[in-house]
Amino acid sequence: MAQFPSGFVWGAATASYQIEGAVQEGGRGASIWDTFAHTPGRVKGGDTGDVACDHYHRFREDVALMRDLGLNAYRFSIAWPRLQPDGRGRVNEPGLAFYDRLVDELLAADIQPWATLFHWDLPQALEDAGGWLSRDTAHRFEEYAFLVGERLGDRVTGFMTLNETYIHFLLGYALGLHAPGRTLGLHAFPAAHHQLLGHGLAVRALREAGVRSVGIANNFAPVWPAGERDADLDAANRVDALHNHLFTDPLLRGEYPALALDIIQSTDPALLDVILPGDLAVMAAPLDFLGVNYYQPDYVKDNPASPTFGIELGTIPDREYTAFGWPVVPEGLTQTLTGLKARYGETCPPLYVTESGCSVNDMPDRDGRVRDDFRIRYHEAYIDAVHSAITQGAEVRGYFAWSLLDNFEWAEGYSQRFGLVHVDFETQVRTPKDSYRWFQDFLRDHTDSD
């Protein structure tokens, strides 16, 4: 049995809009996902997060599930519109009080709270003023971060500023598949830059508020060329620069990758005007950890006709695939973790796998049991991949399964189930799956000696 370092963090993760519901309670304002989900044709089945898992009312039940599971950590996100309904000004006390209660409940259950400040639910009022395309949003984020840090910083183990800057930039601003639904292509670069600037400003604000541990959760994917043509190799290098390096080099090297800047400048030289003197120094504020969200490699080939930056994503042959159509490639996680250490060396902070999971078409059978053997095999393989990275010198300190609960899966609505716990969205009944029981046994074996 693989042995992990003493004190290794074992957790599960969720996000506010995906589970909380109660979108009009406690003074919460509208988010871009409220608007997007209520726009016909945007989300499969017309689903919305209005109720989701009703976690806002059922958080104590969900924390009890975490305690029973044996987790020693829980990663959740804070809904910015709950704390500042318009994205600015004084804190909305009932909204902040909800997270106060959640954090205290976690601590009472001996579970470390890990909080993400932004998991894609931007206040709609800020989007109306330009969203992340506007530099002002980065400064509003700084103010919001200080409010959260001042109130919760004494009890939260680790803060992540942003979740998956690349994915929010790509799907929300470049391709329009997620909220806010803009289709700007690479003209969305200001949204990338201002997220990174907001990150750096938020790190500074959290430190001023006395927060002890600060990081970010980025999405990473090793990039594999789908062919041996020079054009395919070039396409892989372009994707690597835009997906992995564009959103991490500024944080750990204090500079943008040259290839990414060349790609953006070739689109429109004026796009780089958003980079002002001093911005990169702000972005490069020292981090206590780096969160790694990993699901699959990018398998790419060159296609000049593609609207997605001139590349085409292919399907990796001879693999199992999740219900989402994503290939199961655990060695890609090892490659990602060891690759970060190789690229950034001494500037690479300790790593945590902040999301890892799969969607499975699992439902209770006639005796009420949810048999999700596929998910068990998935987590076994990906946890082994983490251990392999550790043996190769990567400093990995934790693994958060995505997700604790079946939830609202963004543009897919409720059609994809990632949870260790099945949720009946009509009755809100929670049913631990076989994977929950497997993880329970695994944690019992791997945490007793810590």
Side-chain angles (χ1 to χ4, degrees):
M1 184 173 61
Q3 295 299 311
F4 286 81
S6 178
F8 196 84
V9 171
W10 296 103
T14 65
S16 50
Y17 188 74
Q18 293 184 272
I19 67 166
E20 284 181 1
V23 296
Q24 295 181 341
E25 293 189 43
R28 179 188 180 276
S31 80
I32 56 174
W33 269 97
D34 294 302
T35 302
F36 189 84
H38 281 274
T39 301
R42 291 295 202 177
V43 175
K44 184 176 288 188
D47 292 338
T48 75
D50 289 0
V51 177
C53 304
D54 197 30
H55 176 74
Y56 184 82
H57 298 111
R58 300 169 184 267
F59 72 91
R60 291 185 176 87
E61 176 184 355
D62 293 335
V63 172
L65 284 166
M66 298 176 216
R67 183 177 60 243
D68 178 63
L69 178 54
L71 300 180
N72 58 27
Y74 172 55
R75 179 188 170 210
F76 62 97
S77 78
I78 295 168
W80 190 349
R82 284 203 192 280
L83 271 60
Q84 290 180 304
D86 295 323
R88 64 182 71 238
R90 292 190 308 169
V91 70
N92 171 46
E93 181 58 33
L96 189 49
F98 167 70
Y99 297 104
D100 248 341
R101 295 191 297 271
L102 173 61
V103 167
D104 287 345
E105 190 77 11
L106 290 166
L107 292 173
D110 202 23
I111 297 169
Q112 299 174 9
W114 290 70
T116 306
L117 294 179
F118 178 72
H119 199 132
W120 304 351
D121 46 355
L122 188 74
Q124 182 61 46
L126 290 184
E127 180 60 32
D128 293 342
W132 287 110
L133 296 170
S134 168
R135 189 178 182 91
D136 183 64
T137 298
H139 292 287
R140 301 288 72 75
F141 187 62
E142 178 183 18
E143 295 173 0
Y144 159 64
F146 183 81
L147 290 172
V148 177
E150 190 177 41
R151 180 68 165 265
L152 302 179
D154 61 332
R155 288 162 289 153
V156 168
T157 302
F159 276 98
M160 281 148 271
T161 55
L162 302 165
N163 180 76
E164 296 189 344
T165 47
Y166 170 73
I167 300 297
H168 188 54
F169 150 78
L170 177 71
L171 299 185
Y173 286 90
L175 302 181
L177 301 176
H178 280 186
R182 299 187 184 234
T183 53
L184 300 174
L186 281 174
H187 285 89
F189 173 70
H193 181 74
H194 294 142
Q195 282 188 86
L196 293 170
L197 178 62
H199 156 79
L201 293 170
V203 171
R204 182 172 69 189
L206 289 168
R207 302 241 188 257
E208 290 174 355
V211 168
R212 299 181 299 274
S213 183
V214 183
I216 189 172
N218 273 352
N219 180 277
F220 294 96
V223 183
W224 296 355
E228 296 183 358
R229 299 180 305 156
D230 287 345
D232 294 329
L233 299 177
D234 289 343
N237 287 332
R238 295 200 306 274
V239 172
D240 203 20
L242 293 171
H243 185 159
N244 296 308
H245 305 156
L246 179 65
F247 293 90
T248 310
D249 280 13
L251 311 185
L252 302 183
R253 286 184 166 181
E255 61 185 16
Y256 278 120
L259 178 56
L261 290 182
D262 288 345
I263 294 168
I264 293 159
Q265 189 168 34
S266 68
T267 302
D268 182 353
L271 289 171
L272 300 185
D273 292 346
V274 299
I275 307 174
L276 301 185
D279 283 0
L280 285 159
V282 172
M283 295 175 187
L287 298 179
D288 300 294
F289 66 91
L290 176 64
V292 175
N293 293 1
Y294 168 80
Y295 290 96
Q296 59 178 322
D298 288 331
Y299 191 63
V300 303
K301 63 180 178 179
D302 181 68
N303 181 357
S306 169
T308 312
F309 316 146
I311 61 96
E312 182 178 324
L313 292 176
T315 55
I316 301 175
D318 302 321
R319 296 285 176 168
E320 284 191 290
Y321 278 78
T322 72
F324 220 145
W326 296 349
V328 178
V329 188
E331 67 268 31
L333 178 53
T334 305
Q335 182 181 345
T336 295
L337 296 168
T338 57
L340 285 166
K341 180 63 176 177
R343 183 173 180 83
Y344 298 109
E346 293 303 312
T347 65
C348 185
L351 305 174
Y352 290 81
V353 177
T354 39
E355 286 185 26
S356 174
C358 62
S359 176
V360 180
N361 291 323
D362 46 24
M363 299 293 287
D365 58 20
R366 280 189 287 185
D367 63 4
R369 182 175 170 185
V370 183
R371 304 171 190 269
D372 59 338
D373 291 344
F374 185 100
R375 183 173 289 106
I376 294 172
R377 296 197 306 274
Y378 182 100
H379 281 296
E380 282 181 321
Y382 280 61
I383 289 171
D384 282 347
V386 172
H387 186 264
S388 178
I390 293 171
T391 64
Q392 295 177 50
E395 187 180 357
V396 189
R397 295 185 178 180
Y399 180 92
F400 289 79
W402 184 272
S403 176
L404 176 71
L405 304 168
D406 290 338
N407 54 41
F408 177 85
E409 185 49 42
W410 306 117
E412 295 298 313
Y414 297 103
S415 67
Q416 300 292 334
R417 292 180 175 270
F418 280 82
L420 300 172
V421 177
H422 177 274
V423 178
D424 183 316
F425 296 109
E426 295 296 323
T427 65
Q428 294 298 332
V429 169
R430 275 87 159 125
T431 304
K433 303 177 184 179
D434 280 6
S435 59
Y436 175 103
R437 302 301 179 195
W438 171 84
F439 209 37
Q440 190 177 51
D441 291 341
F442 176 89
L443 294 179
R444 188 177 298 115
D445 291 338
H446 284 77
T447 57
D448 285 349
S449 60
D450 287 347

